[in-house]
Amino acid sequence: MLELALMFFVIAVIAGALGATGVAGLTMTIAKWLVIAFLVLAVVSLLL
């Protein structure tokens, strides 16, 4: 899941550099939610 978040972040940076702000914003939002989901699952797995 963290690999997907990193991939979306790279896509967002490239899209932002090329001027596609809509795509960059969307991919950054997806990357943010994937990182949050990863952190939540990591904490839950450590507690259990």
Side-chain angles (χ1 to χ4, degrees), residues 11-48:
I11 292 171
V13 169
I14 292 171
L18 295 176
T21 57
V23 174
L26 179 66
T27 53
M28 278 304 290
T29 302
I30 294 171
K32 179 179 71 171
W33 283 109
L34 285 173
V35 168
I36 290 170
F38 169 77
L39 291 174
V40 167
L41 291 173
V43 168
V44 167
S45 69
L46 287 174
L47 293 176
L48 297 177

Side-chain angles (χ1 to χ4, degrees), residues 5-20:
L6 186 61
M7 181 185 69
F8 276 109
F9 175 72
V10 170
I11 292 171
V13 169
I14 292 171
L18 295 176

